[in-house]
Amino acid sequence: MPKRYVGKNIYKVDAQDKVTGKAIYPDDIYFDDMLYLKIKRATHPHAYLRRIDTSKAEKLPGVVKIITAADIPQVKNFGLIIKDQPVLVGIGQKMRYMGDALAIVIAESKEAASQAMGLIKVEVDKLEVISDPLRAMEKDAPLIHQDSNILATHYLKKGDIEKGFTQADIIVENEYRTSTLDHVPLQVETGVGIYDEESGVIKLWVATQWLHDTQADIAQSLGLSKEKIRIIQPVIGGAFGKKEDISVHLHLALAAMETKRPVKLTYTREESMIAQSKRHPFIIRMKTGVTNKGYLTACQVEVIGDTGAYASSGLAVVHKGMYHCTGPYNIDNVRGVAYTVYTNNTYCGAMRGFGTTQMAFAYESQMDILSCKLGIDPIQFRLQNAYDIGSTTPNGQRLTYSVGVKETIKEAANIAAWKEGRP
Amino acid sequence: MNKLNIELTVNGKKRKVETTTSTRLLDLIRDDLHLTGTKEGCGKGECGACTVIMNSELAASCLVLALQADGADITTIEGIGNDKCLDPVQKAFIETGAVQCGFCTPGMILAAKKLLEENPHPDEEEIKRGISGNLCRCTGYQKIIDAIKLAANRLSSSDSGRGEKDA
Amino acid sequence: MQQRTIPCQYFAPQKIEEALGILFRYGNEIKVIAGGTDLLVQYYDRLYEINHWLDLKNIKELKDIRINKNQMEIGAMVTHTQLEVSEDIKKYFPILGQAAADIGSPQIRNRGTVGGNIVNASPAGDLLAPLMAYDAQFRLLSIQGEKIVTAEEFFIGPKKTILEPAQLLTQIILPLPSERTYGSWIKIGKRKALIIATITLALVVEMAEDHKTVKDVRTCLGSVAPTPIEIKEVKKKMVGKNFNQLDFAELGQIVEDKISPIDDIRGTREYRKDVAKKIMIKALEEIDSACGGGSYINE
Ligand SMILES: Cc1cc2nc3c(=O)[nH]c(=O)nc-3n(C[C@H](O)[C@H](O)[C@H](O)COP(=O)(O)OP(=O)(O)OC[C@H]3O[C@@H](n4cnc5c(N)ncnc54)[C@H](O)[C@@H]3O)c2cc1C
Ligand code: FES
Ligand code: FES
C-alpha cells in the first residue's frame, strides 16, 4: 500500500453516499414493469412432498405465474462445496428444513404475492425430524440425504497423544456446546433480476460475498455458460458470511427467464432467519493435560458440528474449527476428530471466524479451569504457553513472523486493569 | 383495491399521493416516492433502519400506515443534507468512521440529529438512549457515539449551528 | 389489484361521538388504530386483511393529561413519551412515567399509546402493573353509554379484555394519591432498550399521617401471569406496621410464593420466581430510603 495512506485517517470512499441516503442497495432498485416474488417454503422440516396445489393462488388477481419444480426439470442442485441444495423441492422429493423452497410466486405487487402464498396447498408425508446431531449420528436414524448423516469426518494428529497425557500432572476433560447464531446483517437477502431475451443474459443485482463462485454455481444449476450470468454488486447491507451462500439468485433468474420482466425478491427478516445460513452449533469434547508447572502437554478434541440440512461451507468450517483446538497456545501432542453432521435444522455456513469462534469458547474455558486448578494466574498461565515465532500449530504450520499473541494478552490485561488473580 | 388520496409534506415539499389501506409509510416513501435512503431491516419496529422524523418526532415508518401520515410533515435522510451541504451530523459520521455497510446510517443519523436538537450536550448515556431504537450490526456503536459527540461539539462551538463550514 | 370487492376505508374523525358511530356501524369489520406499534407488528405482511381503519389520531381530547378535582384523567391516545415527560405524572404517579420511559425505544415511545398498551393486554405490557398499582380505572365508551371498570375487571387473559367491539377506551382515571405515597418500578429484561419484560414490579406504598405506619400497599407484577396481578397478601402483612418493623425477605418470599409464572423464551418459571423475590426486596429498600422509614431489620 502506498505510504501516503499508512497512519492516516482515510474516509471511506462510499461514506458520503451512505450518509446522504444515495447509496443503492439491491432493494433500492426499481423498474417500471417490475414483478415481485415470494417463496413458498417447506411446511415441515423433514417430509416428502406429496402434492402441491397452486391453482387457487394462480387465480388471484395480480398473480402472474407460480413456478414449481415440475416447471424446471432441467435445473440442478446447487451448493458452495457440495451440490446438495434443491432450487425447488419437487413431488416425491424431500424437504429437509423449513427453509426449503417449494414454489416461486410471481405477482404484480408484493401484496398479491404475499396473499397468494396462503392459497397454495401443500400435502406432505412426514418423516422423523432430526434436530439433534447426536441423534443424526445414531445407526437407526433416518437418512437426511442419500448417504450417511455424517457428511464428513476429519482427523488431526500431532506428536504422541498418549505420551502427552502421561507427562501431564493435571488433566481436565469437559464438553462444551455453542448455539446456532444468525449473523443478522441489517439488510436481509434481496435482489433484482432481468433477463435479456436477445443475448440470453441474466443480470442479477444481488449483494453477494463470492461473486464468481456464485456466478459459476448459478450457471451450473441452470445449465448455462457463465457468460450468461452477470452479477452486479450493489452496496451490501452487511453480510458477515451470510451472503456467501446463494439466496435469492436462482429464484430471481428463473422468474426473470419465465416472465421476461424485471423481478425483485426480498426476504422478510423471519424468512432470513429460517432460510439462510447460520453459525454452526458445535459440541466440543476437550481433554487437556498440563504439568504442575503449568505447561500444556496434550489436547484431545472431538467436534460435532451441526451443519443443518445442507453442507454449505460446513465441511470447511467444522474442519477449521478443530484445527484451532489449541488456540494460540503451544501443545506438542494433539489428537482430534471432527464430524460435520446433517440434521433438519437450518443449514449452517460461514460466519465471522469460520469455526474458530466456537472453538475459542472451549479452549479458553479449559485454560481458565486449568489455571484455577493449578493456582496460577490465568494471564500468566496463558503467557507462558502462548505462541512465539517458531511455534508450530496443531496442523504443523511453523509460525515464522508476525506472532503478536503475547503482546495482545498483555495489552488486554492492561486495559482491563488486571491484577494478579482477578480483573 | 381502491386508492385513497392523501397529502403530506416530505422534506419540505407538499406531495399528493394515492395510496391504499394496506400501505405502510415506509412503502410509500420507498416504492412511491423512491426516497430509498429510508431502509427496511425488520418491518417490526426493532431495528430503526426505517426511521424518519414525523411531525418533529422520530418514528419507525414500518409501523405507520401511509394513511396515518395524511397531513403529516415527514423528514427523511434525503431531507437533511446533500452532497453540496452536508449536515454536521453527516459530516461527523464520515470523519469518525461511523459508517460501515451504511444500512443503519440514515436512521442512525436522523436519531442523532433529533437527539442533538433536544439535547445539544448529551453525555454518553444520553447518546446511547437517543440511538437505542437503531441497531447497527457493523460498527459496535463506539464510532457512532464518537461521531455524535463530535457533531455536538462542533454544533455548540459554531455560531450558525447548521451549514458546517470547516472540515 | 381487484381481488377485494368491498371498498376499503380509512376514518380519522375529530369527535369521539363520530368515532363511536363509525365503530357501531362497522363492529367487528373495523380496526381501531392508535399508534399502530402493536397492530402493524401483528399484521406484518398481511395488512390486506384489514379493510376498514378507525384512526383515533385526530381526537384531541384523547391526547390530554389533566387533573380533574381529586383524580387524574389520561386520554387513551397519550403516548409513552408524553407520560415520560409530563410534570404532573412525575409528581403524582412517578413510576408510571418511569415505566413509560422503559418502553421500547424513542421511535416506539413517540407513537405507542397508553390506550394501545392497555387494550393490547399483553401480559408483558409495561404500563399495566403500574396502572393497577395506582388503582386505575378505565372509561369505556360506546354509543350505548359509558362504563367505568377497574384494571382487575378489565383484563381477563393474555391479550383478552372485556372491551366490546363497539367500545372505545377513552380515558384512564387515577385517584390522586396522598403526598405520603411512594413507588418503586423495576423492569427486568435481557437488555435496556427494545426489550419485552421478563418480569416487572410496581410497588406503591402509602404511609399514614405519622409518616411511619403503612396505610396502604399495592404490589403489582407483570409477565408472571396471564394478566397483570396484585399480590394482596403483601398488603395484609404490611398495613398498620411501621416500615422499620417489616421483614423485607419475608415479603419477598410471599411474592415468590404467590406467583406461578410459566417458562417461556424470556425466562423460566424458576428464574422468574427467584427474581420476583429479589426485586421485591429491592423495591422495599428503595421505598424505605425514599420515605426515610428507618433501618432495615433484615440486614
Ligand atoms: C419494537 C417494539 C418494542 C416494544 N416495546 C414495548 C415495551 O418495552 N413495553 C411494552 O409494554 N410494549 C412494548 N411494545 C408494544 C407497544 O408499543 C405498546 O403496547 C403500545 O403501547 C401499543 O400502543 P399503540 O397505540 O401503538 O397500539 P395499537 O397498535 O394502535 O393498538 C393496539 C391494540 O389496541 C387497540 N386500541 C388502541 N387504542 C384503543 C382505544 N383507545 N380503544 C379501543 N381499542 C384501542 C387496537 O385496536 C389494537 O388492537 C413494543 C412494540 C414494538 C413494535
Ligand atoms: S424496519 Fe422499521 S424498525 Fe426495522
Ligand atoms: S454500518 Fe452496517 S449496520 Fe451499521
Side-chain angles (χ1 to χ4, degrees):
Chain A
M1 205 197 294
K3 275 225 177 70
R4 62 201 154 108
Y5 295 133
V6 176
K8 296 242 170 72
N9 189 10
I10 305 299
Y11 303 156
K12 275 171 73 81
V13 288
D14 54 0
Q16 182 147 330
D17 281 354
K18 287 172 174 175
V19 299
T20 50
K22 277 193 345 195
I24 298 296
Y25 298 78
D27 195 39
D28 302 339
I29 296 166
Y30 290 83
F31 289 97
D32 280 344
D33 53 346
M34 193 164 73
L35 296 167
Y36 292 87
L37 313 185
K38 278 269 177 189
I39 306 302
K40 176 75 182 175
R41 296 192 186 271
T43 54
H44 191 270
H46 199 194
Y48 284 105
L49 178 61
R50 191 182 336 144
R51 222 168 74 88
I52 180 161
D53 180 1
T54 57
S55 56
K56 246 193 159 162
E58 253 153 334
K59 286 198 196 91
L60 191 78
V63 173
V64 173
K65 164 87 191 169
I66 296 176
I67 302 176
T68 63
D71 301 310
I72 52 162
Q74 76 287 0
V75 170
K76 296 203 201 66
N77 283 354
F78 67 96
L80 270 178
I81 299 178
I82 296 177
K83 309 290 172 211
D84 61 354
Q85 290 185 252
V87 177
L88 289 173
V89 175
I91 309 286
Q93 292 173 347
K94 249 210 262 185
M95 48 196 91
R96 299 185 178 88
Y97 82 118
M98 293 305 280
D100 265 327
L102 310 184
I104 309 167
V105 179
I106 311 172
E108 299 282 352
S109 68
K110 291 180 210 172
E111 192 168 313
S114 293
Q115 242 175 317
M117 297 265 286
L119 299 174
I120 299 176
K121 284 213 185 69
V122 176
E123 285 171 33
V124 300
D125 293 316
K126 296 178 185 173
L127 299 165
E128 180 192 332
V129 177
I130 305 180
S131 57
D132 179 356
L134 297 179
R135 168 67 187 138
M137 291 170 82
E138 285 170 1
K139 284 227 164 56
D140 67 333
L143 294 181
I144 292 170
H145 291 265
Q146 241 149 30
D147 300 323
S148 167
N149 288 338
I150 301 177
L151 168 64
T153 309
H154 289 104
Y155 300 95
L156 173 62
K157 195 167 179 294
K158 177 190 179 191
D160 180 344
I161 193 77
E162 272 79 32
K163 199 177 101 208
F165 281 119
T166 329
Q167 287 166 352
D169 297 309
I170 299 172
I171 295 173
V172 164
E173 191 169 0
N174 285 303
E175 179 176 301
Y176 299 92
R177 291 186 181 222
T178 65
S179 63
T180 309
L181 217 73
D182 193 288
H183 319 58
V184 201
L186 206 51
Q187 174 161 59
V188 291
E189 293 70 18
T190 169
V192 173
I194 277 191
Y195 177 62
D196 181 40
E197 267 184 279
E198 240 169 73
S199 62
V201 169
I202 300 163
K203 246 196 231 178
L204 297 171
W205 289 264
V206 187
T208 301
Q209 279 182 267
W210 278 15
L211 229 61
H212 298 94
D213 283 39
T214 301
Q215 178 200 33
D217 204 7
I218 295 170
Q220 73 76 28
S221 172
L222 299 179
L224 299 171
S225 65
K226 282 199 277 186
E227 305 81 71
K228 300 289 179 207
I229 313 294
R230 269 194 77 190
I231 306 178
I232 299 161
Q233 180 79 285
V235 180
I236 305 182
F240 318 124
K242 197 174 186 178
K243 289 169 183 167
E244 287 191 9
D245 297 271
I246 281 183
S247 58
V248 295
H249 312 68
L250 279 158
H251 296 144
L252 283 173
L254 288 165
M257 286 197 288
E258 170 68 31
T259 60
K260 322 276 189 292
R261 281 170 68 179
V263 288
K264 181 185 270 191
L265 171 55
T266 301
Y267 286 4
T268 63
R269 176 61 66 185
E270 193 179 1
E271 198 174 11
S272 170
M273 292 265 176
I274 292 169
Q276 201 65 14
S277 93
K278 300 282 169 283
R279 173 176 280 166
H280 287 76
F282 275 13
I283 299 171
I284 303 166
R285 294 169 181 149
M286 190 177 271
K287 184 173 159 188
T288 317
V290 68
T291 64
N292 278 333
K293 290 229 163 81
Y295 288 95
L296 296 163
T297 59
C299 171
Q300 185 175 316
V301 69
E302 182 186 2
V303 185
I304 297 158
D306 173 5
T307 204
Y310 297 103
S312 176
S313 20
L315 304 83
V317 169
V318 182
H319 190 180
K320 178 167 169 157
M322 173 178 68
Y323 270 16
H324 283 256
C325 64
T326 66
Y329 308 113
N330 289 304
I331 307 182
D332 287 338
N333 308 295
V334 182
R335 188 150 69 195
V337 57
Y339 305 100
T340 309
V341 181
Y342 280 131
T343 63
N344 296 121
N345 297 323
T346 294
Y347 75 89
C348 296
M351 179 172 173
R352 315 184 79 170
F354 214 76
T356 63
T357 322
Q358 293 93 315
M359 192 51 75
F361 173 53
Y363 64 72
E364 293 294 1
S365 300
Q366 290 286 91
M367 292 299 278
D368 282 338
I369 293 166
L370 284 168
S371 74
C372 185
K373 287 204 185 244
L374 286 162
I376 302 181
D377 172 61
I379 296 290
Q380 179 51 39
F381 179 49
R382 282 175 169 82
L383 284 174
Q384 74 184 42
N385 285 286
Y387 282 164
D388 262 320
I389 289 193
S391 293
T392 313
T393 65
N395 54 321
Q397 183 188 352
R398 235 175 89 82
L399 305 176
T400 52
Y401 65 95
S402 189
V403 182
V405 59
K406 285 189 179 168
E407 286 96 308
T408 309
I409 293 172
K410 282 182 201 152
E411 187 55 23
N414 186 23
I415 292 170
W418 181 272
K419 283 184 225 78
E420 188 79 3
R422 51 173 302 130
Chain B
M1 194 199 350
N2 53 309
K3 298 273 186 183
L4 299 161
N5 290 308
I6 61 167
E7 227 183 281
L8 67 171
T9 308
V10 181
N11 300 331
K13 259 193 245 142
K14 273 230 154 37
R15 313 283 298 241
K16 282 191 182 157
V17 202
E18 276 193 332
T19 190
T20 72
T21 49
S22 54
T23 306
R24 302 169 302 171
L25 176 59
L26 174 63
D27 306 322
L28 180 133
I29 290 171
R30 289 179 52 81
D31 300 346
D32 297 330
L33 305 179
H34 290 303
L35 294 168
T36 53
T38 308
K39 307 294 184 196
E40 175 160 6
C42 69
K44 298 189 175 178
E46 299 282 351
C47 76
C50 66
T51 298
V52 297
I53 297 174
M54 177 171 177
N55 299 329
S56 316
E57 282 184 331
L58 282 191
S61 63
C62 70
L63 296 185
V64 182
L65 293 176
L67 288 160
Q68 288 183 289
D70 190 12
D73 186 3
I74 309 282
T75 305
T76 68
I77 188 70
E78 291 88 350
I80 74 151
N82 54 45
D83 286 339
K84 290 206 190 80
C85 180
L86 289 177
D87 186 272
V89 178
Q90 290 174 315
K91 222 167 168 182
F93 266 63
I94 297 175
E95 290 174 23
T96 52
V99 181
Q100 287 191 24
C101 83
F103 203 75
C104 70
T105 307
M108 200 65 90
I109 287 177
L110 290 170
K113 206 175 150 51
K114 197 70 212 141
L115 168 72
L116 294 180
E117 250 171 60
E118 283 163 11
N119 178 2
H121 306 286
D123 64 25
E124 182 132 348
E125 277 313 304
E126 288 165 339
I127 293 177
K128 285 183 183 169
R129 190 159 194 267
I131 58 168
S132 62
N134 296 74
L135 289 180
C136 174
R137 291 288 298 160
C138 302
T139 63
Y141 301 101
Q142 191 53 52
K143 291 187 173 183
I144 293 174
I145 293 167
D146 294 347
I148 297 171
K149 284 184 187 162
L150 178 67
N153 284 339
R154 286 191 182 158
L155 280 166
S156 59
S157 60
S158 79
D159 307 336
S160 59
R162 276 211 58 166
E164 181 77 357
K165 297 149 277 178
D166 61 322
Chain C
M1 261 184 314
Q2 277 84 46
Q3 67 266 36
R4 278 190 262 166
T5 42
I6 22 167
C8 296
Q9 281 164 302
Y10 166 81
F11 302 96
Q14 299 189 342
K15 293 262 168 297
I16 292 189
E17 299 71 46
E18 220 183 310
L20 295 176
I22 295 166
L23 206 50
F24 180 75
R25 216 168 341 127
Y26 287 89
N28 273 328
E29 298 296 306
I30 197 161
K31 262 286 177 230
V32 174
I33 184 163
T37 60
D38 274 318
L39 274 178
L40 269 79
V41 173
Q42 280 156 25
Y43 284 87
Y44 174 75
D45 214 16
R46 52 186 190 98
L47 279 169
Y48 54 79
E49 289 177 16
I50 300 169
N51 291 316
H52 310 288
W53 292 105
L54 174 58
D55 190 345
L56 305 179
K57 71 170 185 182
N58 290 330
I59 308 177
K60 289 216 176 60
E61 55 182 298
L62 295 185
K63 297 183 192 174
D64 284 344
I65 299 176
R66 61 170 176 248
I67 293 170
N68 186 359
K69 293 186 197 118
N70 53 358
Q71 63 189 30
M72 178 172 277
E73 296 170 353
I74 302 175
M77 288 295 284
V78 164
T79 63
H80 302 308
T81 299
Q82 268 178 286
L83 286 180
E84 182 188 345
V85 302
S86 157
E87 290 303 325
D88 283 337
I89 297 282
K90 267 188 210 141
K91 181 167 169 202
Y92 295 106
F93 306 102
I95 70 169
L96 183 61
Q98 289 163 25
D102 274 349
I103 287 180
S105 64
Q107 287 88 331
I108 301 299
R109 291 191 291 274
N110 288 339
R111 304 268 319 154
T113 64
V114 52
N117 203 254
I118 293 167
V119 177
N120 193 53
S122 156
D126 279 339
L127 300 185
L128 310 185
L131 286 170
M132 197 179 238
Y134 284 128
D135 283 324
Q137 293 190 309
F138 304 147
R139 192 189 300 271
L140 313 180
L141 222 55
S142 73
I143 55 166
Q144 267 119 349
E146 169 188 287
K147 201 169 165 187
I148 292 179
V149 298
T150 62
E152 276 94 340
E153 291 164 330
F154 186 76
F155 300 109
I156 51 179
K159 306 230 151 192
K160 282 208 188 77
T161 72
I162 58 163
L163 191 79
E164 287 166 19
Q167 276 176 334
L168 278 184
L169 165 66
T170 56
Q171 250 177 15
I172 294 90
I173 305 164
L174 300 169
L176 290 187
S178 79
E179 275 169 24
R180 303 174 309 275
T181 305
Y182 301 89
S184 172
W185 158 253
I186 298 177
K187 172 177 176 175
I188 302 291
K190 290 208 168 85
R191 54 190 201 120
K192 281 192 210 151
L194 283 168
I195 196 70
I196 302 299
T198 309
I199 179 167
T200 60
L201 169 69
L203 178 64
V204 174
V205 178
E206 188 190 354
M207 304 300 259
E209 266 148 51
D210 65 2
H211 286 272
K212 286 197 189 107
T213 321
V214 176
K215 189 173 168 203
D216 198 7
V217 180
R218 297 275 268 163
T219 314
C220 299
L221 288 100
S223 274
V224 294
T227 64
I229 51 163
E230 184 192 357
I231 310 292
K232 298 212 161 88
E233 287 72 12
V234 171
K235 187 188 240 160
K236 286 186 211 133
K237 280 272 173 196
M238 286 177 69
V239 171
K241 295 240 175 72
N242 257 358
F243 215 88
N244 60 14
Q245 293 174 324
L246 298 172
D247 180 347
F248 292 176
E250 183 198 358
L251 293 165
Q253 193 60 49
I254 292 174
V255 172
E256 175 176 342
D257 293 344
K258 289 291 164 192
I259 58 171
S260 45
I262 54 163
D263 290 345
D264 67 15
I265 49 165
R266 292 193 284 280
T268 59
R269 169 189 165 87
E270 194 190 351
Y271 173 82
R272 285 189 162 103
K273 275 175 134 336
D274 193 27
V275 171
K277 175 179 175 176
K278 300 213 159 90
I279 59 178
M280 179 64 183
I281 294 172
K282 190 169 168 224
L284 286 163
E285 287 171 359
E286 272 177 29
I287 291 178
D288 188 11
S289 64
C291 69
S295 58
Y296 314 137
I297 58 162
N298 63 322
E299 263 187 356

